[in-house]
Amino acid sequence: MTKYILRRFVNYAILTGLATVFAYIAASSFFQPRNRYLGRNPPIDEASIDAILSAHGVNDKDPVLLRTWWWIENFVTAPFMDKLGTDLNDRSVVHQMLGDPSHWLLFWEQGWLGRSGVSLRLLIIGSLLAALVGVAAGVWGAVRQYKASDQIISYSSFILISTPTFVGGVLLMIIATKFNQAMGGQLIRFTGAYTPGISGFWPTTWDFISHLLLPTIALTLFGAAGYSRYQRAVMLDVLGSDFIRTARAKGATRTRALIKHGLRVALIPMSTYFAYNFGTLVSGSAFLEIVFSWSGMGQYGITAVQQSDVNALAGTVLFSAILVLFASTLSEFLYAALDPRVRI
């Protein structure tokens, strides 16, 4: 199984590199960073604009493929913190993504891993909770097909799937505001990823939880809605399978047959769905970062699109591709663990 996982990991790593390069080519082809400097008062002469854009490697007067080659060459040869170049605000893209290297091992620091750390704390917790809640709700709905609980789960899932992510975030903020007013204090905080100036283990921990609560709930609910619908459909197919009837005929109870035989088989396609759904969670978290004012990679990517910042967008795509890479590898591991045929 180890060779199988490694082989899949290498394949996904190659796809990650290709996705980042194609994103750079697309951004270089359609973005117009020159417009950022036009129409200023006093005006900037064209030679100065060319010099600024060339310093960032995004001068539109150079061919796209030549700029892409320079970007790849810089990625291979430059020092680690300069591999992705600088954004249009003269900030290192790698430094924006990963923060100060001296804080990389300080997990308790508020600025741990820069923008990536801000996004990861939301994505990791939200994706795992979404998978667990969604799978449990889907299995329950399938077992209790057409019962009241199944209807409630189905209608709730359809409502969440059809609701834009940012709308759910705003609604949660309104509910939290009402809750804080009723309690007479700011128990739930939803502006920013943390409150500056707080020190001490317990105050910092509570501040971390209070800021993380609402965006995590939003990401969990919207992710779980998709998981529950898919898991319910798969579980219904399994419930009608011959091996379930055979297990019952041999004397197994309904609960034992469902858990030991049915659930394991039903989870096999869910392991693949997890990798693809994780990409949806990444895009959903980007809008939540805007709503809750989190300075994460999602906010960085949206700002890059608004400002036609090629290098910043390439860094954001690389971050998202790496997350999907690890999610896909994890799904392959789960697939191999659940299905003995894959290990063989």
Side-chain angles (χ1 to χ4, degrees):
M1 186 174 72
T2 302
K3 292 183 179 180
Y4 169 78
I5 298 297
L6 289 176
R7 185 168 62 249
R8 301 300 294 175
F9 181 84
V10 171
N11 291 338
Y12 289 133
I14 294 173
L15 291 176
T16 297
L18 292 176
T20 306
V21 171
F22 286 142
Y24 184 89
I25 294 174
S28 299
S29 301
F30 298 107
F31 282 1
Q32 298 295 329
R34 182 176 297 273
N35 294 339
R36 178 185 175 92
Y37 304 97
L38 298 177
R40 293 192 176 185
N41 190 17
I44 304 176
D45 61 274
E46 187 173 356
S48 298
I49 295 177
D50 288 338
I52 294 173
L53 296 179
S54 296
H56 296 293
V58 295
N59 193 336
D60 53 1
K61 292 184 178 180
D62 297 319
V64 172
L65 293 181
L66 182 60
R67 279 179 275 160
T68 304
W69 174 253
W70 288 339
W71 184 83
I72 296 175
E73 186 178 34
N74 180 78
F75 184 84
V76 174
T77 60
F80 180 77
M81 297 302 292
D82 299 325
K83 283 188 176 297
L84 296 177
T86 56
D87 57 26
L88 294 180
N89 295 314
D90 293 322
R91 302 172 302 188
S92 167
V93 175
V94 175
H95 190 275
Q96 285 293 302
M97 293 172 61
L98 300 179
D100 189 350
S102 62
H103 291 171
W104 285 354
L105 298 179
L106 305 179
F107 301 103
W108 58 88
E109 288 285 343
Q110 293 176 333
W112 174 69
L113 278 185
R115 292 180 179 271
S116 297
V118 173
S119 297
L120 285 174
R121 72 180 65 168
L122 173 61
L123 284 168
I124 292 176
I125 299 175
S127 60
L128 292 178
L129 288 178
L132 293 174
V133 173
V135 168
V139 172
W140 180 265
V143 174
R144 306 280 296 177
Q145 187 180 17
Y146 302 134
K147 300 293 180 61
S149 56
D150 180 36
Q151 298 292 341
I152 293 173
I153 293 173
S154 297
Y155 290 138
S156 300
S157 298
F158 285 128
I159 292 173
L160 289 171
I161 291 173
S162 60
T163 302
T165 306
F166 66 90
V167 174
V170 172
L171 290 176
L172 286 175
M173 292 171 65
I174 295 174
I175 294 173
T177 301
K178 298 292 185 181
F179 176 80
N180 288 335
Q181 291 174 351
M183 299 301 295
Q186 193 73 12
L187 296 180
I188 301 177
R189 303 178 184 271
F190 46 78
T191 301
Y194 57 86
T195 303
I198 293 181
S199 59
F201 178 77
W202 291 113
T204 302
T205 302
W206 173 248
D207 182 71
F208 173 84
I209 295 173
S210 64
H211 282 88
L212 187 63
L213 184 61
L214 289 190
T216 300
I217 291 175
L219 196 63
T220 299
L221 289 177
F222 287 105
Y227 278 111
S228 67
R229 303 314 304 156
Y230 194 76
Q231 181 67 73
R232 181 181 182 275
V234 174
M235 194 66 185
L236 286 175
D237 289 338
V238 171
L239 291 178
S241 300
D242 293 336
F243 62 86
I244 295 292
R245 288 192 292 269
T246 302
R248 292 296 306 277
K250 289 184 176 181
T253 62
R254 184 171 185 267
T255 302
R256 179 177 176 81
L258 291 178
I259 294 177
K260 184 177 180 180
H261 303 285
L263 183 58
R264 179 172 181 173
V265 175
L267 286 176
I268 292 176
M270 292 303 298
S271 61
T272 303
Y273 180 75
F274 172 79
Y276 294 101
N277 192 65
F278 190 81
T280 305
L281 290 177
V282 170
S283 61
S285 69
F287 292 102
L288 288 177
E289 287 180 12
I290 296 294
V291 172
F292 292 102
S293 300
W294 282 41
S295 298
M297 289 303 301
Q299 185 189 69
Y300 192 53
I302 293 176
T303 303
V305 174
Q306 293 173 337
Q307 298 180 352
S308 295
D309 197 329
V310 178
N311 291 334
L313 181 67
T316 305
V317 172
L318 176 60
F319 171 77
S320 301
I322 290 175
L323 290 182
V324 175
L325 160 67
F326 283 103
S328 301
T329 304
L330 177 60
S331 71
E332 296 290 351
F333 176 81
L334 295 175
Y335 193 93
L338 293 169
D339 192 344
R341 296 172 298 179
V342 175
R343 297 195 296 270
I344 296 175

